[in-house]
Amino acid sequence: MATYRQVGRLLVISARLTRPVAGCGYQSAGLHWPSHNTRISNIWPQNPQWVVPGRTMFVQTQDTPNPNSLKFLPGRTVLEAGTMNFAGPRDAFCSPLARQLFRIDGVKSVFLGNDFITITRADANMEWKVIKPDVYAAIMDFFTSGLPVVSEDSKPNADTAISDDDDEVVAMIKELLDTRIRPTVQEDGGDVLYRGFEDGIVKLKLQGSCTSCPSSIVTLKSGIQNMLQFYVPEVESVEQVKDEEEERDAQG
């Protein structure tokens, strides 16, 4: 149950979020990402193993700003809430679905959202037409198996949950990330996690298609940073936080 302190803080946040956006490039305080063409292709499963007994299951694909990541939409709920990122097979111990997808040659990482699965390929020279049939089959086989997407004791990261220790600025940043920024990023097959606020700098970790996306810096600076600075003057800049594996990939 929310404390009086939390309720009061949320009322302040609500008042600031309703601040009108005038004289700027935002529309309804939405984010402007680097322009890209998003194409959705309907896939009719010709292979019998792509057909769910009793009815046909359609899997759609959607391009992302990252040419090495592709978004798969199975037409049903993947995660009830939040997102989960699996950078490699070792991280997929809690997800039968991710483990199955990592068995496919060419799959580097798996990202799960509410109604989508983002696959990032290991080799940019491997064409998607080689990988996609195996991914379609794996997704359809999995959803007919009755297995849970993730184990019951595994939960998505609650990085934007407001705690009693958060001051008004941090609470405002988390609220904006959760309600205004993350939905837009997830539309592109990725996510952004809150990793701290110190000396005016918001630290964020990009996941899914955003991890190795060529336009990720533009997304951070032109999209997320501008949004946060508009509503929270205390924010001076936004910086990306990378783990060791991502640093090695960037250097390689």
Side-chain angles (χ1 to χ4, degrees):
M1 182 177 294
T3 63
Y4 287 110
R5 179 185 173 191
Q6 287 177 313
V7 172
R9 186 189 307 149
L10 289 173
L11 288 174
V12 173
I13 292 172
S14 177
R16 295 178 69 174
L17 281 173
T18 55
R19 176 181 172 190
V21 182
C24 67
Y26 294 97
Q27 179 181 2
S28 300
L31 295 180
H32 283 187
W33 307 111
S35 60
H36 61 276
N37 294 323
T38 300
R39 184 178 71 254
I40 296 180
S41 57
N42 292 320
I43 306 301
W44 180 273
Q46 301 293 335
N47 192 315
Q49 67 177 329
W50 297 358
V51 179
V52 177
R55 69 186 233 184
T56 302
M57 177 180 177
F58 294 94
V59 177
Q60 295 178 307
T61 58
Q62 181 177 319
D63 291 340
T64 74
N66 185 350
N68 292 319
S69 297
L70 194 61
K71 189 175 175 182
F72 292 79
L73 300 96
R76 57 193 63 195
T77 300
V78 179
L79 290 180
E80 293 293 341
T83 60
M84 296 187 76
N85 186 66
F86 304 97
R90 290 178 298 177
D91 301 325
F93 63 91
C94 65
S95 173
L97 172 57
R99 289 199 302 270
Q100 194 161 327
L101 291 167
F102 275 119
R103 296 191 184 106
I104 300 171
D105 185 37
V107 172
K108 177 183 179 182
S109 66
V110 177
F111 181 79
L112 307 180
N114 174 254
D115 61 353
F116 68 89
I117 303 160
T118 298
I119 300 294
T120 299
R121 61 187 177 186
D123 186 355
N125 295 319
M126 179 177 284
E127 296 186 23
W128 278 112
K129 66 181 180 181
V130 176
I131 304 175
K132 286 196 291 185
D134 289 336
V135 175
Y136 292 141
I139 291 174
M140 293 181 181
D141 285 346
F142 177 81
F143 280 104
T144 60
S145 70
L147 292 172
V149 174
V150 294
S151 55
E152 293 183 2
D153 56 346
S154 299
K155 296 181 179 179
N157 195 320
D159 60 297
T160 51
I162 299 176
S163 68
D164 287 335
D165 296 331
D166 294 333
D167 58 25
E168 181 185 327
V169 172
V170 171
M172 182 68 178
I173 292 170
K174 287 184 174 181
E175 180 75 8
L176 283 167
L177 286 171
D178 212 30
T179 61
R180 302 293 182 92
I181 295 172
R182 296 181 84 170
T184 304
V185 178
Q186 289 172 15
E187 279 294 314
D188 282 339
D191 200 3
V192 55
L193 302 182
Y194 174 79
R195 285 292 179 259
F197 176 69
E198 186 177 0
D199 298 328
I201 300 174
V202 179
K203 297 180 180 181
L204 303 174
K205 180 176 174 57
L206 299 178
Q207 292 189 324
S209 64
C210 302
T211 303
S212 57
C213 182
S215 60
S216 61
I217 298 300
V218 178
T219 297
L220 279 174
K221 298 299 182 181
S222 298
I224 298 175
Q225 181 172 297
N226 287 350
M227 164 77 74
L228 292 176
Q229 287 178 331
F230 180 81
Y231 286 106
V232 189
E234 293 85 352
V235 173
E236 296 179 7
S237 68
V238 172
E239 291 186 359
Q240 181 179 359
V241 175
K242 295 183 178 181
D243 55 31
E244 293 182 2
E245 185 174 349
E246 290 171 343
E247 291 287 358
R248 289 197 298 269
D249 291 343
Q251 293 173 1

